[in-house]
Structure formats: structure tokens, C-alpha cells
């Protein structure tokens, strides 16, 4: 046994070992890892004793008042969580939040500074609870919160650890999107909040100033009241600058970051530098905390400026904003939708997820023929899965993260992490036993040894490092560099302390950080849903306007000497208030000018913004809305929504009933499959619709919205309708009005098959063969509709594969010869004969082949004049029960 | 069929009225197994003109002229100029600058004539005439074209009026003309003149159609079924056929005559000749006449359910006809079965149907023997697609057949097998270009 590994290693390295690869083998990216348990283990037995029934998503918050608390779960159903202690688990997952959500006064800087902290992603497990979670930490800004930030986390909780580990990439990209959506909504809301707050402050200042003047008049310049007022005024002034700066910071957030690459950080730097260039005099004697407290009291939702009381309410009395308030409502609901999608996508067993992923990956490679019977991948689940497993960016979709990670150049830390993960992965896959067997108590304050067994807990993507580390290298401003570096260091040391005690912070070089960024950009898809936060963009414009303000005003801004009269004081109080509202003061109002501009433009564009938001939302939830696309306009009676697998499975149920009930079901299916339009005729709408629904699963090229099916038609039809619809439900009318319809039926009888569901007769071309017998056996043992649907689907896929071969096989083996059409024809016919198809079955293949050709040429199927309508002159036969 | 849908399940056995002509759905000789519907017109499409191998123009009551590609079904050019329905359309090819140019000449009820050059650019030239133009005739060898209405005008290719007559009759198929006027076009060096040189007044009713058969003969058909072959040189009648459908069937079938015979059933709506054979659309029947042998080749009294509007001889000895009933039928000239066989399936079968009795069964057989060389027109296929009267069709040979109809549609009928092969070929070529899938 000792020698055998060497032997294996030797042959591995040898060329002979690689020379032959079985062509039948699936490519590596499509292989499903074997079940790691021993052979006698039942893979379906529940290995964990989790207290919840199925996977769910938990959003929890580290509240500054009550500590970690769960906010909501998806699905929002108490049965899902069962007896699982959400509070305890929230505590667990929130305690992993070691990221530097560093806001406030960085050392060396005396006023608050926002950092756009990247999310951190952690996998942690609690084997005692039987729960494993992918935890996505994010921070949201809140003006009232301590340090302006409120830490949140979203967690995908599953009893299956492998599911979390192996779907890490997908989970990560899915949650990143959700988080991005939340954060952009939050930035918008935060900016709005700041703007309102600034208005309040401006107004308060003028009021205070006026009062001071009054006091001066009454009590003389050096009375205690005057000094008090002056101090108060100074505080307000300072508060204004701080808020303005915050606003500027939040608006300078690189909105386009998600669009392309992290490299886009570069252009944003000057902006940040400029912001920080405003060096303030160190007269800020009042602590920022007090500032915050001042803020807290004054938050009003109206646009009318409010007077701000100097003293604030107690910290614990205030009501913290809910998550929905914190983010813009639109964004919040969009995120919830997205999270619901994630939940749906990852629902079920890991095998199932693997299979569907592979399924999807294979299907996307089969675009040439997959349109025939596969549903369009734009349904609710499909859209999500497309987003999650974007193959363009990430070819190794179905593989665990190991393959991805190891392929990329890494920074030292993440490399080490990867190695750990990889190690863990190997452990998982090498059938050494279930990972749950590790008995170590998994807690966050892990000891060195626990890191190994509890890798689940320490898998972090080091987001915060990347972001900050990237800013620092090219930044020309020493001040900022210093501050960010410090932030960096803090972050690093914290993280390293957690994960890799050995790594030193100075090992992180900018270039490595940059590479990391590339890697993360890989993980983010470019096509994602970034909502362009118009409020922020417009806000930036507003600040550009602010730049060329008159010099004296600027001085007024920068000079924090309390005694100086603000120009605005020259006006009366009521007028002043109005001016603040409308921002139309004739005199330069100094800071308020800069303040109002964005406000104004926001209001101007608010409609547009709202519309954009709606568009965003509707984009995301398009499956819910009735589509108004042009191709559907032609067929106004079709289903209003996308055809989904679910619908098809339901249709499978009726199809099953149909084939049991009607002995001529095969003929009807043949009619549909061979491209002959089948008219289901009946007096009762429900019956007809049901039959149409049942037969629709057999219609080739059903279309995204089922546009080739007309479930209920009450008027007579034309030839062009036959060209467009392959399955029509037609109302039988007894009145003379129906005679024209019956006339068209008889007139076009050669082009259609007629299924009369009142008399239970079918008139169509005869079918002889066995293929459809397998598909529609009325003595079938299949009991369930969804099973039958899958059965039919597999048979149809076989047909589609044959049609594909029929279409292309000639080309594969022989060159094109234009003169030699006869022999080509012969060969093609022989091909069908070799497949053992009867004449009728050949017709099906030929029809499918024509569809493939048309699709290949991208013939616009919408323009009816462009599409052709084929038929054959064959005598129809009348079938009766 | 209809009855079956109506729910009358027991009525399957009864033969419908036109059962003799209903060939059913099994049509092995009918190669048109693919169709393409061309939409574009907003009113009845009346005229189709083939321009070249793959292009054709359509015109109709909406005053539009559309030029199509028969292979792809693409609409190439849209010509809007006329404000009222188009009454005549023809192509006119002339050599100009060593290149043949093809022009479309259209005449409309708005009393304008329009020439559209559409080889490269399309230019419109409008000229007002004072009367309606019903007919356009291009004389290629003289490089002039004629427009006929109440007056006859001669135009050259530059759209200059050469001369005209204010005659109330002309050489064309103006419906109220009873007698035929032959005009002679005098070509002199300076000017052209046109003269009426002969009046042929042998028709007893209005002349519906007139065609040129070959250099020696032309034929005219009248409303009451007179078919006269004329000599082009001396304007003498070469042959006279009065098509009364009862005639060949012979004696004593008065019941048929009384019941069925309307004037329009004998009207010669359209004639077509390939130089030897003439097909005439006579009412709802078809008539094939050999102009050289001056004998009837074949005929079928009820070829369609209503009047035939257009008929043509195809290359392969087949006859095609389209009718107001909305169908196009393809016929094949077949030698009749031997006289000994009962002519139950032949064209005489219909007499049995219409006579509502089988007693004439013997008579047609007898009659058959009297006409030597008589062949039968066998229905080998019908094309159903239009929901209105099929006005006209143009055959592109293997490339297909274009029909136009009162339902505003044009339908291109194609050989499905051939089209499928062409598509495969195009597919492979595209694959070659793109280097595989």
C-alpha cells in the first residue's frame, strides 16, 4: 500500500495517462460530485438534526439598543423556522461581524467620515444546532445611529453544510446583489435625510443668529446669554459643515462601480480628495457625539425647515428606523423580491440544485434546438438562476468555489484562506466521512485548531480590505492616505486576528489588493441590477454648481467665526423660511445655495427618478406584469404571462388525463407535433381551455408567452391565424353567427386537425408508429402530472435531438455540393429510415427540422409575411371513441 | 365536412353538390405544400405582373403598386401614386444605354397613367388622360405602347403621346364593343398615325377577351360564349366556336338547359394561349382548344363553383385556373379512358349529378366517340387559402405561384420539398461561413 500512491502519482504525471480521454465523459464542469458518504448510507436520511424544516434566509441587525436581533425571515412563515432559536442564531452570526464599519472620527481627523465599506461574507456553522449559514454582513447608514452606521446581516441558513460550501459562489453573488440593492436604496434615503437635516440646520442657524443679535441689543455683547447663544450658533455652524461633508461623501459614492469593474475607483478619488481638502479649523470643540445627539432631535420628514433644539432626547428613547425606512421603499421591496428568488433558487436538495445548474448550463449550449420544447429561461426562477450562474463570467458554474479560487492570483491572506477552504473541500470530497463528525464546538472565538475543523466559520472574502486598500495607493493626498491607511490597518489587524493570526498587515500590497478586486469583479456580474441612484448623481451636479460661488460667501462658509453675520440675516424671518423652501433667494445664501440646488434638482427629477425606480422594479418583476411586447400584441387572447415550468407541470396533469380519456390522444399529439394546427372545438370554455392547456406541452416552439397557442377563440379564423397559432381552442356556436366560423373550419380543413370535445371525435391525419405510443400510452402507470410532464419532456427532447441530427448531419460528414441535391435528399431519407421512423414520424422530424432552420436563420417569426406555412396533402381520418 | 362539424354525424354519406370536383385531401400530384402570405394591400388585389425571374408587382383597388421578391416574400418597393383603383398594369422593357430597363406602366381610375422605373431607382411620371384607360398594350417591336379606353393613345418610351384616336371603340376588351375594330398603326418618319382599317362585326354580344395566339391568328371571345379565331392578315374568321355547354352533350337534355343556363355561364372571361392551345375560362367552366388543329381538346363545364377569372396553361401541359370561389385548381390534360369504360369519373359525371338522374349515362359515351382526340381535364390539385375571389395568378415555374385575391392578400405557393432543400443549403452555407455551429 505504501508504494501505490507513488505509482499513481507517476502515471498521473506521465503523458500516457492524459493521452486518452473518454469522449463520452462529461466535461468536468458538468459532473456532479459523488455523494461523499459510504456506500451503505442512505443519502436521503437527514444527517443533521436541525430544528427548522427547510432552508431560509434570515435578516438580522446588531441593534445599538438591544443588541443582535432577528428582523425577518424569508419565507415569512413561522413553521419554516420551527423551534430554531432565531435570537440565538442572530447573536451568533452578528458576532462574526469583524469588519471595519469604521465611521466617525478616524484618528487624525476631527470630523466624521463615511467609509464605503464592502460587505463581508462568512460561512459559519453551528453543529449543535445543526445549522450552517452563509452570512453576508453589510452596513447601512443612518443619521440617527451611532457612528451613522447600523450593521445588518443577511444569512442563508441551511441544515446542509455542503450546500452552503459548494454553492458559496452563487450565494455570494446573489446576496451581493441583494446587498447592493439595499445599500443603494440606503444611500439615497440617507442623502435625502441629510438634505432635510441640512435645511433644518440652516434654518436653525438663522434663527439663532437673529436671537443672538437680539440678545446683543438687549444685554450687551458680553452677557452670558449672548455667549451661550454664540456657542450654540457655533455648534450649529459646525454641524452644518459636518452634515454637508457627509452629504458630499455619500453622494460621491461611486455609483458606476457595479457596472464594470472595481478599477473605476480611480476616477472617484479626486472627488474624495477635494472633499477632504476642506481643511477645517480645529475650533470644533464639541464632540461629534453631541452633534449626533443634536441631530437626533430634529429629524423631520417634511421639507419645511424645523428649528433644531440644542439638546437631544436620550439615546434609548428614540425609535430606530426600520429596514424599510432605512432603505428606499422601492429598493427594499426589490431586495425582498430578490431574496425570495434566492430562496427559491436554492430550495431543495443539493443534488437538485446541481442538476438544475448543469441542466441550465447544457441547455444554454443547445440554443439551436432547445427553443423547441424547453421553456424560455426567463421565468421567475430562471431569471434568477441566470443571474446567479452567469456562465459568461464564470465558466465553472457548478463546481465548488475551489476551482475558481485557485485559478486566480491571490493576495496572501485570501490565498491562505483558499488553501484552507480547498483543504476542506478535499476533505469533503475524499469520502473520509461526513464533515459533521467533527465534534469541535464551533464558536466564534475559535482557537487555532478550531479554525481547521470549522472552516465554515472563517471563510471570508475580505471585502473591506480590498476596497480600502485600493483607494490608498494612488491617492495623492497625504491626509487621506494616512486616514485610509489607518482604516486599512485596523481592518486588517482585526481580520487577521480573527482568521489568520500569522499574517501581518503590511504584507498586503496594493497590487495584490487590486488583483483581489479583479477577482471580486468576476464574482459580481456586470449585468446586475444596479439602480442608478439619481438622487445621488443629481446631488453631485448640485455640488458642482456650488464651486463657483462668490468668494465672500465661501469665506463665510469656511470661516467658522461665530460673530460674523450671515448674509441671510438681512432678510426677514418669514421670507427666509419661504426662501429655504423654494431656494429662490435673491441674495446668495451661502451654504444654503449649495444646499438647495441639489434639492431643487431632485424635486425636478423626482418624477423621473420615481419612474426609473418603477422601471427597475418592474424589470425585476416583469414576470408579474402583463407583458406588452409587440409580438404578443398580435395575439391578444394568449396567456398574459410567461409560460413557466410550473404551469407546464400543471398542464402535464391535464395531459395525463387527456391521454387516459381519449384513445386517439396519439393522433392528436401527432397533429400538434407535425405542425398541423389543431383546433379544439367545443361549446364550453372550461373544457376547451383545459384540453388546450393539456396539449400545449406538446407544441413545439411554444414561445416565451405561449404565443403559438390560442386557448379560446370565439370568432372565425383566417389562414394567417393558422400560420401563427398551432393550437386553437374554438368556441362552437349554435347560432347562425357561428356558421362563418364553421365555414372557415371546413374551408381550411386540410390544414387543420379538429378535436371536437363535445362529440369526442378527432379528425386529423392518421398516425402510424410507435414513438408516440411511448409518449401517450393510455395505460400508463404514471400517476402524477409533473412526472408525466417530465416523461413527455424527455421524449420530446429525444425527438428534438433527432431533428437536430437530421438538420445538420449531412453537413458534418460531407461537403456541400449544390448540384448533388438528389443524393443529399436520399441520404437524409435514409437517415430517417435508419432511425426506424415511420413516414408520419419522419414528418414530425422534418417539421422540427424546419423550425430549427428557421430559428437558426433568426427569421423574424413576428413578421408573418416572412414565415412560411407548410402542409401536406393527406387524407384526414375521423376518430371516434 | 360541414355537416359533420355541425354535429350531424349521420349525414356523412350524402354527397355534396360539388362532390364530383372535390378531389379530397389526397393530392399526390400537387407540389404546392408550402405557402407564404404576403400582406400589404388594403383592398382587392387585381393585377399581378411578373417583372423578372424573381420579382413581381401587384396592384389593386387601393391604388398601390407593390413589388415583391417571390423567393423571400420580401416587399421590395412600394409605389404610391394613384389615388384610385388601378385598372391596368403591364411591364415594358426597353433598351436604353445598352441596358435593358424594365418599367411598370399602370393605369388608374383617377385618369392617370404612371410609368415606374424600378430597376434601380423608381421614378414616377404622371400623365393625365381624359378618359379611363382599360387596357395597356406594349408593342415591343415598335418600341411603343398603347393605352386603350374610350380613346386609343400611342405613347413612346419617353412618355410622349405620339398620336391618338377619338374613337369610341378599340382593339381591347372594352365590354360594350360588339364589333371589333382593327387599327393600323402607320409608321412614317415624322409622325405616327393610327387608323381604323377594319371592322369585324361578327360577334353577337360584347367581346370579353381578346388574345394573340401567334403571328397568324388571334382570338376573341364574347359574352355569350362565341370564340372566334381570326386571321391577322386578312381579318377573316378562321374558326367559329359557339360554346354552349349542352352542345357536346347533345340531344334532349332540356332540363339541364333550363335549370342551369345563365348568360354568365357562357361568358368567356379570360383566354390564354401558348401559341397552339387556347384555354378559355367560360363561365365556371374550362375550355381547351387547339388553334392549329381548330378542334376542341378538352373541356369541363363546371370546373369551379363560380366564375373563373383567370386561367393559364402551364409548361408541363397542365392548366391552372382561379375562380371567384376562392380556389385555384390545377388540371391535367389526360387521354380519356377507352369508350368501353364507363365514364363515371370523367367530366361527364357531372351531368349525372346535375341532371339528378342516371339516365344519361349512355348518351355521353356515345357523344364521346363523335369527337376524336378529345381529352379530359383531370383535377389534380387545388389550392385553398384565399377567403375571397382569386383575381389572378402568376406562375414562376418551380419557384412557385403567386395568387392575388379580393381578401387583400397575396399568397405565394411553393414546393415545400424544394424550399426545404434550399433552406438546408443556405443553412450549410452559413455554417461554412461561420465555421461550424
Amino acid at each position: 500500500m505504501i508504494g501505490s500512491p507513488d505509482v499513481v502519482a507517476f502515471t498521473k504525471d506521465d503523458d500516457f495517462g492524459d493521452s486518452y480521454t473518454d469522449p463520452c465523459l462529461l466535461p468536468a464542469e458538468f459532473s456532479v460530485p459523488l455523494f461523499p458518504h459510504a456506500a451503505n448510507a442512505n443519502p436521503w436520511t437527514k444527517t443533521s438534526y436541525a430544528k427548522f424544516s427547510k432552508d431560509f434566509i434570515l435578516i438580522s441587525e446588531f441593534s445599538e439598543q438591544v443588541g443582535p436581533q432577528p428582523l425577518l425571515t424569508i419565507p415569512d412563515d413561522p413553521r419554516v423556522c420551527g423551534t430554531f432559536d432565531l435570537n440565538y442564531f442572530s447573536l451568533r452570526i452578528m458576532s462574526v461581524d469583524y469588519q471595519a464599519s469604521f465611521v466617525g472620527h478616524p484618528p487624525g481627523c476631527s470630523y466624521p467620515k463615511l467609509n464605503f465599506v464592502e460587505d463581508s461574507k462568512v460561512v459559519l456553522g453551528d453543529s449543535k444546532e445543526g445549522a450552517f449559514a452563509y452570512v453576508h454582513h453589510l452596513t447601512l447608514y443612518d443619521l440617527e445611529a451611532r457612528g451613522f452606521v447600523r450593521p445588518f446581516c443577511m444569512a442563508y441558513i441551511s441544515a446542509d453544510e455542503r450546500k452552503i460550501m459548494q454553492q458559496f459562489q452563487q450565494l455570494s453573488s446573489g446576496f451581493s446583489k441583494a446587498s447592493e440593492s439595499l445599500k443603494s436604496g440606503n444611500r439615497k434615503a440617507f442623502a435625502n435625510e441629510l438634505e432635510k437635516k441640512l435645511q433644518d440646520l440652516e434654518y436653525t442657524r438663522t434663527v439663532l443668529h437673529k436671537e443672538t443679535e437680539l440678545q446683543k441689543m438687549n444685554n450687551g455683547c458680553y452677557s452670558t446669554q449672548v455667549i451661550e447663544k454664540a456657542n450654540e450658533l457655533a455648534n450649529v455652524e459646525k454641524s452644518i459643515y459636518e452634515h454637508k461633508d457627509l452629504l458630499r461623501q455619500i453622494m460621491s459614492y461611486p455609483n458606476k462601480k457595479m457596472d464594470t469593474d472595481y478599477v473605476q475607483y480611480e476616477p472617484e478619488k479626486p472627488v474624495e480628495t477635494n472633499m477632504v481638502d476642506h481643511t477645517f479649523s480645529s475650533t470644533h470643540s464639541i464632540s461629534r457625539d453631541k452633534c449626533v445627539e443634536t441631530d437626533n432631535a430634529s429629524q423631520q420628514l417634511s421639507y419645511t425647515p424645523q428649528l433644531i433644539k440644542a439638546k437631544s432626547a436620550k439615546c434609548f428613547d428614540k425609535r430606530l428606523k426600520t429596514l424599510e425606512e432605512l432603505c428606499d421603499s422601492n429598493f427594499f421591496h426589490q431586495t425582498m423580491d430578490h431574496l425570495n428568488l434566492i430562496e427559491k433558487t436554492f430550495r431543495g436538495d443539493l443534488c437538485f440544485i446541481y442538476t438544475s445548474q448543469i441542466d441550465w448550463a447544457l441547455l444554454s449550449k443547445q440554443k439551436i434546438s432547445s427553443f423547441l420544447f424547453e421553456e424560455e429561461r426567463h421565468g421567475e426562477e430562471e431569471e434568477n438562476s441566470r443571474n446567479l450562474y452567469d456562465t459568461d463570467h464564470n465558466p465553472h458554474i457548478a463546481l465548488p468555489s475551489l476551482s475558481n479560487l485557485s485559478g486566480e492570483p491571490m493576495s496572501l491572506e485570501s490565498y491562505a484562506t483558499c488553501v484552507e477552504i480547498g483543504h476542506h473541500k478535499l476533505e469533503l470530497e475524499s469520502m473520509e466521512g461526513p464533515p459533521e463528525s467533527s465534534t469541535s464546538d464551533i464558536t466564534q472565538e475559535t482557537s487555532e485548531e478550531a479554525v481547521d475543523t470549522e472552516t465554515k466559520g472563517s471563510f471570508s472574502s475580505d471585502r473591506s480590505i480590498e476596497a480600502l486598500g485600493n483607494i490608498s495607493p494612488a491617492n495623492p493626498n497625504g491626509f487621506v492616505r494616512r486616514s485610509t491607511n489607518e482604516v486599512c490597518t485596523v481592518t486588517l489587524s482585526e481580520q487577521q486576528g480573527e482568521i489568520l493570526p500569522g499574517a501581518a498587515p503590511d504584507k498586503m500590497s496594493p497590487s495584490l489588493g487590486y488583483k483581489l478586486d479583479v477577482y471580486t469583479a468576476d464574482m459580481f456580474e456586470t449585468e446586475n441590477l444596479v439602480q442608478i441612484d439619481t438622487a445621488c448623481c443629481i446631488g453631485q451636479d448640485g455640488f458642482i454648481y456650488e464651486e463657483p460661488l462668490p468668494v465672500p460667501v465661501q469665506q463665510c462658509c469656511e470661516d467658522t467665526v461665530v460673530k460674523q453675520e450671515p448674509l441671510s440675516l438681512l432678510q426677514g424671518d418669514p421670507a427666509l423660511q419661504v426662501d429655504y423652501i423654494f431656494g429662490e433667494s435673491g441674495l446668495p445664501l451661502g451654504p444654503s445655495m449649495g444646499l438647495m440646488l441639489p434639492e431643487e434638482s431632485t424635486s425636478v427629477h423626482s418624477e423621473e427618478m420615481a419612474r426609473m425606480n418603477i422601471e427597475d422594479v418592474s424589470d425585476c418583476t416583469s414576470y408579474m406584469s402583463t407583458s406588452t411586447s409587440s409580438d404578443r400584441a398580435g395575439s391578444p387572447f394568449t396567456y398574459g404571462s410567461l409560460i413557466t415550468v410550473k404551469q407546464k407541470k400543471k398542464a402535464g396533469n391535464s395531459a395525463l388525463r387527456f391521454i387516459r380519456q381519449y384513445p386517439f390522444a396519439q393522433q392528436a399529439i401527432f397533429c400538434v407535433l407535425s405542425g398541423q394546427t389543431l383546433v379544439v372545438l367545443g361549446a364550453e370554455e372550461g373544457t376547451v381551455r383545459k384540453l388546450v392547456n393539456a396539449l400545449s406541452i406538446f407544441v413545439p416552439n411554444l414561445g416565451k408567452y405561449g404565443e403559438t397557442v390560442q386557448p379560446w377563440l370565439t370568432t372565425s379564423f383566417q389562414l394567417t391565424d393558422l400560420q401563427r397559432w398551432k393550437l386553437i381552442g374554438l368556441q362552437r356556436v349554435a347560432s347562425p353567427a357561428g356558421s362563418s366560423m364553421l365555414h372557415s373550419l371546413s374551408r381550411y380543413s386540410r390544414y387543420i386537425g379538429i378535436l371536437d370535445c363535445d362529440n369526442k371525435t378527432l379528425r386529423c391525419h392518421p398516425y402510424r408508429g410507435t414513438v408516440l405510443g411511448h409518449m401517450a400510452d393510455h395505460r400508463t402507470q404514471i400517476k402524477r402530472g409533473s412526472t408525466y410532464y417530465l416523461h413527455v419532456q424527455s421524449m420530446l427532447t429525444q425527438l428534438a435531438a433527432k431533428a437536430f441530427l437530421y438538420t445538420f448531419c449531412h453537413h458534418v460528414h460531407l461537403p456541400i455540393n449544390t448540384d448533388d441535391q438528389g443524393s443529399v435528399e436520399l441520404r437524409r431519407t435514409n437517415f430517417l429510415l435508419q432511425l426506424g421512423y415511420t413516414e408520419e414520424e419522419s414528418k414530425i422530424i422534418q417539421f422540427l427540422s424546419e423550425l430549427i432552420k428557421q430559428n437558426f436563420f433568426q427569421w423574424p417569426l413576428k413578421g408573418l409575411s416572412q414565415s412560411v406555412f407548410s402542409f401536406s396533402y393527406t387524407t384526414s381520418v375521423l376518430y371516434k371513441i | 365536412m360541414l355537416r359533420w362539424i355541425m354535429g350531424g354525424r349521420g349525414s356523412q354519406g350524402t354527397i355534396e353538390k360539388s362532390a364530383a370536383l372535390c378531389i379530397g385531401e389526397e393530392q399526390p400530384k400537387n407540389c404546392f405544400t408550402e405557402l407564404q402570405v404576403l400582406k400589404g394591400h388594403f383592398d382587392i388585389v387585381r393585377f399581378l405582373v411578373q417583372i423578372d425571374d424573381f420579382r413581381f408587382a401587384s396592384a389593386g383597388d387601393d391604388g398601390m403598386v407593390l413589388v415583391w421578391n417571390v423567393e423571400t416574400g420580401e416587399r421590395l418597393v412600394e409605389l404610391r401614386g394613384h389615388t384610385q383603383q388601378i385598372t391596368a398594369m403591364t411591364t415594358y422593357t426597353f433598351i436604353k444605354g445598352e441596358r435593358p430597363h424594365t418599367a411598370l406602366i399602370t393605369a388608374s381610375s383617377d385618369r392617370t397613367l404612371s410609368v415606374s422605373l424600378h430597376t434601380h431607382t423608381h421614378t414616377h411620371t404622371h400623365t393625365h388622360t381624359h378618359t379611363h384607360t382599360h387596357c395597356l398594350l406594349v408593342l415591343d417591336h415598335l418600341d411603343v405602347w398603347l393605352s386603350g379606353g374610350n380613346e386609343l393613345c400611342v405613347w413612346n418610351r419617353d412618355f410622349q403621346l405620339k398620336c391618338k384616336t377619338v374613337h369610341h371603340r378599340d382593339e381591347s376588351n372594352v365590354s360594350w364593343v360588339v364589333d371589333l375594330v382593327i387599327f393600323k398603326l402607320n409608321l412614317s418618319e415624322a409622325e405616327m398615325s393610327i387608323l381604323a382599317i377594319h371592322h369585324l362585326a361578327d360577334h353577337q354580344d360584347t367581346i370579353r377577351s381578346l388574345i394573340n395566339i401567334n403571328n397568324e391568328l388571334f382570338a376573341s371571345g364574347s359574352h355569350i360564349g362565341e370564340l372566334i379565331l381570326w386571321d391577322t392578315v386578312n381579318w377573316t374568321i378562321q374558326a367559329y366556336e359557339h360554346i354552349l355547354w349542352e352542345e357536346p352533350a347533345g340531344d334532349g337534355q332540356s332540363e339541364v338547359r333550363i335549370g342551369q343556363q345563365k348568360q354568365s355561364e357562357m361568358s368567356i372571361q379570360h383566354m390564354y394561349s401558348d401559341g397552339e392551345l387556347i384555354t378559355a375560362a367560360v363561365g365556371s367552366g374550362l375550355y381547351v382548344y387547339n388553334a392549329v388543329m381548330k378542334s376542341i381538346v378538352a373541356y369541363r363545364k363546371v370546373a369551379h363553383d363560380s366564375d373563373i377569372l383567370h386561367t393559364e396553361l402551364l409548361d408541363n401541359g397542365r392548366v391552372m385556373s382561379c375562380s371567384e370561389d376562392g380556389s385555384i385548381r390545377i388540371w391535367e390534360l389526360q387521354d380519356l379512358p377507352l369508350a368501353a369504360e364507363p365514364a363515371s369519373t370523367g367530366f361527364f359525371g357531372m351531368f349525372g349529378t346535375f341532371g339528378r338522374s342516371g339516365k344519361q349515362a349512355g348518351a355521353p359515351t356515345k357523344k364521346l366517340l363523335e369527337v376524336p382526340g378529345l381529352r379530359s381535364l383531370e383535377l389534380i390539385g387545388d389550392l385553398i387559402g384565399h377567403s375571397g375571389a382569386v383575381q389572378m395568378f402568376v406562375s414562376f415555374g418551380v419557384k412557385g405561384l403567386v395568387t392575388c385575391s379580393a381578401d387583400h392578400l397575396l399568397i405565394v405557393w411553393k414546393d415545400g420539398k424544394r424550399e426545404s432543400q434550399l433552406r438546408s443549403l443556405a443553412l450549410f452555407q452559413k455554417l461554412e461561413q461561420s465555421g461550424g455551429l
Side-chain angles (χ1 to χ4, degrees), chain A residues 340-357:
Chain A
N340 272 310
L341 279 184
I342 293 177
E343 195 269 330
K344 244 178 232 170
T345 315
F346 291 101
R347 198 180 280 175
D349 191 76
L350 186 61
C351 290
F352 174 73
I353 296 174
Y354 266 132
T355 319
S356 60
Q357 282 172 0

Side-chain angles (χ1 to χ4, degrees), chain A residues 865-876:
Chain A
S865 63
Q866 295 290 317
S867 68
V868 292
F869 176 60
S870 302
F871 44 88
S872 62
Y873 297 106
T874 316
T875 314
S876 294

Side-chain angles (χ1 to χ4, degrees), chain A residues 258-314:
Chain A
M258 296 296 288
D259 284 350
T260 49
D261 219 352
Y262 274 71
V263 191
Q264 291 222 345
Y265 260 126
E266 308 274 347
E268 261 83 39
K269 266 171 235 152
V271 181
E272 237 177 16
T273 321
N274 283 342
M275 292 180 338
V276 195
D277 269 340
H278 294 275
T279 332
F280 286 83
S281 60
S282 52
T283 50
H284 304 261
S285 51
I286 311 160
S287 75
R288 192 195 47 81
D289 282 338
K290 200 198 165 192
C291 238
V292 174
E293 279 166 26
T294 322
D295 298 343
N296 290 337
S298 67
Q299 209 39 246
Q300 299 293 329
L301 282 176
S302 85
Y303 281 92
T304 317
Q306 305 286 321
L307 192 64
I308 295 174
K309 299 283 182 305
K311 291 298 161 194
S312 66
K314 284 224 179 79

Side-chain angles (χ1 to χ4, degrees), chain A residues 497-514:
Chain A
E498 287 276 344
I499 322 163
L500 301 163
D506 55 340
K507 281 195 181 162
M508 170 157 156
S509 70
S511 63
L512 284 178
Y514 180 72

Side-chain angles (χ1 to χ4, degrees), chain A residues 141-145 148 190 193-194 197 243 292 296 299:
Chain A
Y141 301 113
D142 185 356
L143 203 51
E144 300 163 44
F148 298 140
F190 188 62
E193 205 186 356
L194 271 173
K197 182 65 185 292
H243 280 84
V292 174
N296 290 337
Q299 209 39 246

Side-chain angles (χ1 to χ4, degrees), chain A residues 139-160:
Chain A
T139 53
L140 297 179
Y141 301 113
D142 185 356
L143 203 51
E144 300 163 44
R146 187 185 304 153
F148 298 140
V149 288
R150 290 173 60 181
F152 285 88
C153 83
M154 301 181 285
Y156 186 88
I157 299 167
S158 169
D160 187 358

Side-chain angles (χ1 to χ4, degrees), chain B residues 252-307:
Chain B
Q253 292 185 28
S254 55
E255 61 212 333
V256 177
R257 193 173 308 171
I258 295 161
Q260 309 291 323
Q261 217 56 31
K262 284 181 288 176
Q263 281 294 308
S264 69
E265 293 217 346
M266 297 179 300
S267 166
I268 300 180
Q269 305 283 348
H270 184 255
M271 285 195 291
Y272 180 87
S273 170
D274 64 349
E276 185 186 354
L277 292 177
I278 306 168
T279 59
V282 186
S284 59
L286 268 181
Y287 194 88
V288 182
Y289 190 83
N290 190 321
V292 178
M293 306 291 293
K294 313 247 180 336
S295 63
I296 304 168
V297 177
Y299 61 93
R300 198 178 251 284
K301 184 183 174 243
V302 183
H304 279 270
D305 292 338
S306 65
D307 283 0

